[in-house]
């Protein structure tokens, strides 16, 4: 039999951790001296401790380990399947964060976009033809205004826009969709932010899948925030160039 300090030195696990395992019901000592309070551990406890540590190294939480430590191997297999799926999601999220950070280092931008899913929305709008982007500022003169534009990049001529009108106007239904959203910093113009955002989409292999929503939000203290939302989808791969032609092979 070993005292708790001896077991800690043998296994490289701190006494504090061993006591924590006891409180969780994972690893109780084989005996406790009532007079001194010393905890004693044997071979069975050593083997159980090694199993706990091994399951932790497989990515299982202590709560999950408590559920399956004494269960049949089928339960362990199912727990590992779930753990692998969760780890893959974590890896994908970290890879996306790494790519975003590298992109920001390589190409400084005025916005910090993120991809989110938004619910369906119904608006009443007034549609109009815009000949130059400078005209959009006048359309957003009201504090709380939503502006929609149907653009795939920088405008090269006239384009269609729509302004939310409240109760009047033509009905426009926006479906639930995946969008890239960015809050425009106060010192940055919307035009520059929009150009930076479109450039970000192109670098990430995303195509614009619907109208861009520019919304001006006002809080109780009359602070104004401009939010850009661009619906996106994966860009179509470029078509292969046609190969050389010649006589049929014999």
């Amino acid at each position: 039999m070993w005292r708790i300090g001896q077991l800690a030195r043998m296994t490289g696990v701190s006494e504090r951790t061993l006591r924590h395992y006891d409180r969780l019901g994972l690893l109780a000592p084989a005996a406790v001296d009532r007079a001194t309070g010393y905890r004693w551990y044997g071979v069975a406890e050593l083997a159980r401790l090694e199993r706990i540590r091994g399951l932790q190294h497989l990515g299982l939480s202590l709560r999950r380990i408590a559920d399956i430590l004494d269960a049949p191997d089928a339960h362990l297999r199912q727990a590992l399947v779930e753990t692998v799926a969760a780890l893959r999601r974590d890896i994908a999220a970290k890879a996306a964060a790494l790519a975003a950070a590298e992109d920001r280092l390589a190409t400084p931008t005025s916005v910090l976009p993120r991809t989110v899913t938004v619910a369906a929305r119904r608006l009443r709008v007034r549609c109009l033809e815009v000949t130059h982007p400078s005209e959009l500022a006048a359309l957003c003169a009201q504090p709380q205004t939503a502006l929609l534009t149907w653009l795939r990049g920088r405008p090269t001529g006239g384009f269609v826009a729509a302004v939310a009108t409240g109760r009047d106007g033509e009905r426009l239904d926006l479906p639930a969709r995946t969008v890239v959203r960015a809050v425009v910093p106060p010192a940055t113009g919307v035009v520059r932010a929009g150009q930076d955002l479109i450039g970000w989409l192109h670098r990430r292999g995303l195509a614009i899948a619907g109208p861009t929503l520019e919304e001006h939000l006002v809080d109780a203290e009359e602070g104004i925030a401009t939010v850009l939302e661009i619906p996106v989808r994966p860009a179509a791969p470029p078509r292969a160039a046609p190969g050389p032609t010649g006589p049929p092979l014999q």
Side-chain angles (χ1 to χ4, degrees):
M1 300 284 283
W2 305 288
R3 282 172 53 178
I4 188 171
Q6 293 173 304
L7 182 65
R9 288 191 294 272
M10 290 167 53
T11 59
V13 178
S14 69
E15 294 183 30
R16 181 178 179 181
T17 298
L18 292 173
R19 292 190 177 92
H20 182 56
Y21 288 170
D22 187 11
R23 287 193 297 270
L24 294 177
L26 285 171
L27 182 66
V32 179
D33 190 312
R34 292 184 179 180
T36 63
Y38 291 157
R39 299 164 182 250
W40 295 93
Y41 297 83
V43 171
E45 288 70 41
L46 173 62
R48 188 175 179 87
L49 175 59
E50 290 299 328
R51 180 171 173 80
I52 292 169
R53 301 297 282 180
L55 292 174
Q56 279 189 294
H57 283 300
L58 294 178
L60 275 70
S61 67
L62 288 178
R63 180 175 295 180
R64 195 72 177 99
I65 291 172
D67 293 337
I68 65 169
L69 189 59
D70 299 311
D73 283 346
H75 292 246
L76 171 58
R77 182 174 181 82
Q78 179 58 36
L80 289 177
V81 168
E82 296 169 0
T83 299
V84 167
L87 289 173
R88 290 188 186 279
R89 290 193 295 270
D90 290 344
I91 291 171
K94 290 184 183 300
L98 173 62
E102 290 178 335
D103 178 80
R104 181 62 184 263
L105 286 173
T107 310
T109 177
S110 62
V111 292
L112 289 173
R114 63 189 185 96
T115 304
V116 298
T117 300
V118 296
R121 187 171 176 182
R122 176 174 295 175
L123 298 172
R124 290 286 179 177
V125 300
R126 176 170 56 91
C127 296
L128 62 159
E129 184 78 16
V130 177
T131 58
H132 191 273
S134 60
E135 300 174 21
L136 297 177
L139 301 177
C140 299
Q142 297 300 321
Q144 288 185 300
T145 306
L147 173 69
L148 297 104
T149 53
W150 282 258
L151 291 170
R152 294 292 185 267
R154 294 185 179 184
T156 56
F159 58 93
V160 176
V163 181
T165 59
R167 296 182 180 181
D168 301 326
E170 180 182 350
R171 195 178 87 178
L172 176 65
D173 292 322
L174 299 176
R177 59 213 182 276
T178 299
V179 303
V180 171
R181 173 185 292 164
V183 177
V184 180
T188 303
V190 175
V191 174
R192 179 191 168 191
Q195 292 173 349
D196 287 348
L197 192 54
I198 290 173
W200 185 90
L201 296 181
H202 291 163
R203 294 193 301 275
R204 301 302 293 267
L206 296 172
I208 300 175
T212 295
L213 176 63
E214 175 188 329
E215 194 161 18
H216 301 261
L217 306 177
V218 182
D219 63 16
E221 297 179 353
E222 298 187 354
I224 300 176
T226 301
V227 181
L228 295 178
E229 288 185 357
I230 303 182
V232 294
R233 57 173 173 77
R239 295 183 179 180
T245 60
L249 297 177
Q250 300 296 325

